[in-house]
Amino acid sequence: MEQTTYQEEYDFSLELVKKCGEVIKRAFNVEKKISEKSSANDLVTETDQLVEKMLIDGLKEKFPDTRFIGEESVAGGEKCELTSAKTWIIDPIDGTTNFISSNPHICTIL
């Protein structure tokens, strides 16, 4: 059985996440537009939504046969469906509450 290394996906996604990191960095110390998702302590910012879109658009262009499950997309009503297809799971800003408070303990999960 042949082992898949996913080196191309890793290399491409790493560069894409670095670009997203620059967007997050620019938004870090400015006032943020915040919305509630499912409850008062489940928050999303426009930066979360922008970064998720950047990730999905970039990955879809490079790897058109893959699927996506994005935290913000699913919270917005998109169906979360696991299949046997290659699927990217995305949390654009893990630690949104920290991000809102300009606390640097955040990351992008891909």
Side-chain angles (χ1 to χ4, degrees), residues 16-17 19-21 23-24 37 43-61 67-79 88-94 96 107-110:
L16 186 57
V17 167
K19 289 177 187 171
C20 291
V23 170
I24 294 167
K37 292 191 287 186
L43 305 173
V44 62
T45 67
E46 60 187 3
T47 307
D48 286 281
Q49 294 167 331
L50 174 61
V51 168
E52 183 172 297
K53 183 176 180 352
M54 286 176 64
L55 289 167
I56 291 173
D57 289 351
L59 291 165
K60 191 181 289 185
E61 184 177 324
R67 300 179 55 116
F68 305 91
I69 298 174
E71 179 183 18
E72 310 316 332
S73 302
V74 171
E78 195 170 301
K79 186 177 180 185
W88 297 88
I89 311 295
I90 300 170
D91 185 348
I93 302 176
D94 185 47
T96 297
C107 66
T108 296
I109 297 176
L110 180 61

